[in-house]
Amino acid sequence: MEAARSKAKVVVVGAQAVGKRSLVRRSAFDPFDGRYVSTFGANVSKKEIVLPVRLRDGTFIDLILWTVDSLDLIRRRTSFVRGAAGIFAVCDATRKTSLDELRGWTETVYGESGDVPIVLAVNKSDLADYRQVDASDAIEFVRGYDAEHFLTSAHTGENVEAAFQALGERIVMHRRIQLERGAPQGPP
């Protein structure tokens, strides 16, 4: 018997030049050329996640990643974030302001899609000499969302897979809890 397979729209948010597209490219099948981002406002990619044995059922989930340009998120927020099952929030470890800006974008997604799982990727962690965002800053951010954080590097690949894996697991667990409560579900 084949394991259950589902899809989940994930909005990838963050300030300009934090490495959103680089993290996605490092990890996902990306059928679209980056030049379409500026005209469409979002780059859509597919990331297949095989959940680990700890869920004991071999669940598969395809994360459909919408890498949203931060300016377009402000202008056309509802069309890009409506129906999101999760948020992959990215900040730049070398720019503290990029973490500060994430709260507003996260709240925008919450406003359109409800209380969905979040994973914070503190990208460019390989640039330790220039770091302005440390673990305590990340912990403070995720505490308000019951989320996880990862120090990532699109350059070296550090924790990129782990961050996407964690978000996939959180989405599946969130859906299972919603189902147990009888709450309305998004698409499978």
Side-chain angles (χ1 to χ4, degrees):
M1 184 172 151
E2 188 172 312
R5 182 173 214 104
S6 63
K7 294 182 182 187
K9 178 180 179 179
V10 171
V11 180
V12 181
V13 297
Q16 297 283 331
V18 295
K20 298 182 299 284
R21 287 186 293 167
S22 296
L23 287 168
V24 169
R25 281 191 197 127
R26 183 75 146 146
S27 186
F29 169 71
D30 189 352
F32 299 105
D33 187 315
R35 69 176 176 255
Y36 294 117
V37 173
S38 62
T39 58
F40 179 60
N43 190 9
V44 181
S45 306
K46 177 181 173 182
K47 169 67 180 163
E48 182 178 286
I49 300 285
V50 180
L51 295 179
V53 177
R54 74 179 175 162
L55 290 179
R56 300 182 193 275
D57 63 4
T59 301
F60 289 88
I61 185 166
D62 292 325
L63 299 182
I64 309 303
L65 305 172
W66 286 61
T67 307
V68 180
D69 179 84
S70 55
L71 296 176
D72 284 314
L73 179 59
I74 294 165
R75 282 182 256 160
R76 298 183 276 192
R77 65 182 178 203
T78 59
S79 60
F80 289 145
V81 302
R82 187 176 298 129
I87 303 169
F88 194 78
V90 182
C91 73
D92 181 339
T94 68
R95 291 186 358 237
K96 178 86 160 76
T97 56
S98 68
L99 178 63
D100 299 335
E101 293 170 356
L102 273 179
R103 195 161 309 279
W105 291 318
T106 300
E107 294 303 321
T108 296
V109 178
Y110 269 19
E112 293 298 323
S113 297
D115 183 12
V116 296
I118 299 173
V119 165
L120 170 64
V122 181
N123 197 32
K124 303 183 186 178
S125 66
D126 55 309
L127 302 175
D129 292 343
Y130 304 99
R131 186 171 295 150
Q132 294 179 6
V133 178
D134 59 27
S136 64
D137 297 318
I139 290 167
E140 182 180 326
F141 178 86
V142 299
R143 185 177 298 132
Y145 299 103
D146 187 31
E148 284 182 79
H149 75 281
F150 293 84
L151 299 178
T152 63
S153 171
H155 179 71
T156 66
E158 176 189 9
N159 288 326
V160 175
E161 285 297 319
F164 282 109
Q165 184 75 28
L167 184 57
E169 291 175 13
R170 285 181 166 272
I171 289 169
V172 168
M173 297 309 292
H174 179 75
R175 285 179 172 175
R176 289 178 181 172
I177 290 167
Q178 295 295 95
L179 188 60
E180 287 173 8
R181 292 180 183 162
Q185 292 264 305

